[in-house]
Amino acid sequence: QTMQKKWYSVIISMALFLLATYPQNVLAQGTESPFDFTAITENRSGEGWIWDADAKTLSLDGFSYQSDQEYERFMTLPAGSRIILANGSINEIDLLAHYTIYGEGELTIAGDGTLKIQNRAADLREADAAIIAEGKVAVEDVQLQITGGNGGIIADQVEAGGIRLYNSDLRFHNVSMALAANADIAMQNCQLETRKADIGLLAMGGLQMLDSQIDIEANVNGIFANGISAKRTTIDIIINMDMGGTALESIGSYVPNVVQPPILIEDGKLSIESMGNGIISQFGSLLQVKNSEVDVRANDVALEIWSKGQGDASEIELSGSRIIAEGKMGVLIFRPQDQDNDRPVVTDDAIITGKT
């Protein structure tokens, strides 16, 4: 168990380091961007694409690009740019790139079309991403498929607003991190799928999911965020490797006397099958389940909560809900020494298999 947690800590630490250093990392080799729209001040067009310089809008309609050439940045866009996918269009990029699409500030991808990005680079270096922006990334009304690479969508600036996903179908296959933000990640009316990822969703701010369907298969961590809210959302997480990893984790804060955002599951369903841990809530984040089903089956600990001064509150609050917690330990609670250890852990009905 100790060795597993060490491996898990190393992988998460590497992920956080990479997220913090994405804009500083530069590629030693690779040609310049063949589509550098930061240097184009007039309107231009090519096969499957039109650039409106004044509106900072790149329209794609049947755009297709395949190359064995290695690029540092395949496509570079100025701050405030929009990529618009034509209605019903399929747009494909298949190459070897450090950054496939790089936004120098806020970046929006919208339109009722499909964008497929495949990175065939054999050497997944430390700052490899399909879509990365120095500002907020918004994805609206699109179908997005990303295969290969270290990062799917990356938003690295703390103050920029993170990642916003609306009415979209997003699929990430064989990426190290599907979504990663130094701020919040929020999604509404989305379908999201990851396969063969190391980490599904990484949000150093909070994670909000509304009216969505989340299907994560990962090796180490499914969801890692500072506060997690899922309303009218179905979440299925499978963790394949027994390395001390966790399906769903809220990291909280060491800061004393600060109320932490909870893990909230409301009017939805959460299902976890993990070779490691199920749910971990660190440093004071309560688990609140309202009108929902939570089924956690873990090889190690099903539910682990680090309490931090909630007074008389139970660590697990159920309302019209039920939790199934199955593992070597069903529920593991850490409370400060000055708290009442006789108060109930769970406010309502729970089925717990394993030590509590």
Side-chain angles (χ1 to χ4, degrees):
Q1 181 76 8
T2 301
M3 182 59 69
Q4 290 171 351
K5 289 191 174 183
K6 285 182 178 179
W7 273 111
Y8 171 63
S9 298
V10 167
I11 291 173
I12 289 296
S13 297
M14 289 175 62
L16 299 178
F17 172 77
L18 296 180
L19 182 59
T21 58
Y22 261 99
Q24 287 77 39
N25 287 318
V26 294
L27 185 63
Q29 299 177 353
T31 61
E32 293 299 322
S33 172
F35 292 92
D36 185 0
F37 294 105
T38 63
I40 300 175
T41 58
E42 69 278 357
N43 297 341
R44 289 191 185 177
S45 63
E47 186 173 353
W49 64 273
I50 299 173
W51 172 247
D52 185 329
D54 292 334
K56 297 182 182 178
T57 298
L58 176 65
S59 299
L60 301 181
D61 189 356
F63 178 77
S64 181
Y65 194 99
Q66 182 174 359
S67 175
D68 292 328
Q69 174 65 56
E70 186 174 354
Y71 297 107
E72 177 179 346
R73 299 180 184 179
F74 172 70
M75 188 178 287
T76 306
L77 297 113
S81 290
R82 293 173 61 84
I83 297 175
I84 304 298
L85 310 180
N87 185 20
S89 67
I90 297 177
N91 306 276
E92 299 179 275
I93 303 172
D94 183 354
L95 42 61
L96 295 81
H98 196 42
Y99 305 117
T100 305
I101 297 175
Y102 191 102
E104 293 193 339
E106 185 171 326
L107 174 66
T108 298
I109 302 175
D112 190 15
T114 299
L115 176 60
K116 299 180 179 180
I117 299 174
Q118 179 165 341
N119 195 330
R120 292 177 283 109
D123 179 16
L124 301 180
R125 291 149 300 200
E126 56 263 71
D128 176 45
I131 299 170
I132 182 170
E134 296 177 22
K136 180 178 71 175
V137 179
V139 178
E140 305 170 358
D141 306 310
V142 307
Q143 294 185 35
L144 178 65
Q145 299 177 24
I146 295 176
T147 303
N150 267 350
I153 301 176
I154 309 294
D156 71 284
Q157 298 296 322
V158 175
E159 69 280 359
I163 298 173
R164 298 291 182 266
L165 310 171
Y166 305 99
N167 305 316
S168 294
D169 186 326
L170 306 109
R171 301 176 187 273
F172 303 89
H173 291 192
N174 199 28
V175 296
S176 292
M177 292 186 293
L179 297 177
N182 253 325
D184 293 347
I185 295 177
M187 66 182 71
Q188 182 174 354
N189 195 28
C190 289
Q191 290 186 317
L192 185 145
E193 175 187 278
T194 74
R195 292 292 182 268
K196 297 182 180 180
D198 288 324
I199 299 172
L201 312 181
L202 173 64
M204 297 312 296
L207 172 63
Q208 297 88 40
M209 297 166 283
L210 179 65
D211 296 318
S212 295
Q213 184 170 333
I214 313 299
D215 184 359
I216 295 176
E217 178 190 317
N219 292 327
V220 179
N221 198 285
I223 293 175
F224 187 90
N226 186 0
I228 298 167
S229 173
K231 297 182 179 181
R232 300 189 299 276
T233 293
T234 299
I235 304 172
D236 293 288
I237 303 176
I238 296 175
I239 300 299
N240 291 321
M241 298 180 67
D242 187 9
M243 298 175 62
T246 302
L248 186 147
E249 181 168 357
S250 181
I251 56 178
S253 171
Y254 291 99
V255 179
N257 302 320
V258 174
V259 177
Q260 301 301 316
I263 297 174
L264 172 64
I265 310 297
E266 183 172 354
D267 298 322
K269 184 177 180 180
L270 171 62
S271 177
I272 290 174
E273 295 182 18
S274 176
M275 291 295 294
N277 300 304
I279 297 174
I280 292 181
S281 180
Q282 296 191 37
F283 311 119
S285 292
L286 300 176
L287 173 60
Q288 299 176 341
V289 184
K290 301 179 181 179
N291 304 316
S292 301
E293 295 181 18
V294 174
D295 188 342
V296 182
R297 307 190 187 247
N299 190 51
D300 294 323
V301 181
L303 301 176
E304 179 177 321
I305 298 179
W306 294 65
S307 183
K308 192 183 75 170
Q310 284 93 0
D312 294 331
S314 297
E315 284 79 7
I316 302 173
E317 299 179 356
L318 302 184
S319 176
S321 303
R322 188 175 72 167
I323 290 180
I324 297 176
E326 181 178 309
K328 290 180 181 177
M329 296 198 71
V331 176
L332 179 61
I333 303 295
F334 294 92
R335 287 176 174 168
Q337 292 182 352
D338 59 353
Q339 287 195 16
D340 178 12
N341 288 326
D342 293 327
R343 77 175 191 272
V345 169
V346 183
T347 59
D348 206 336
D349 182 33
I351 298 175
I352 299 170
T353 301
K355 295 180 180 179
T356 303

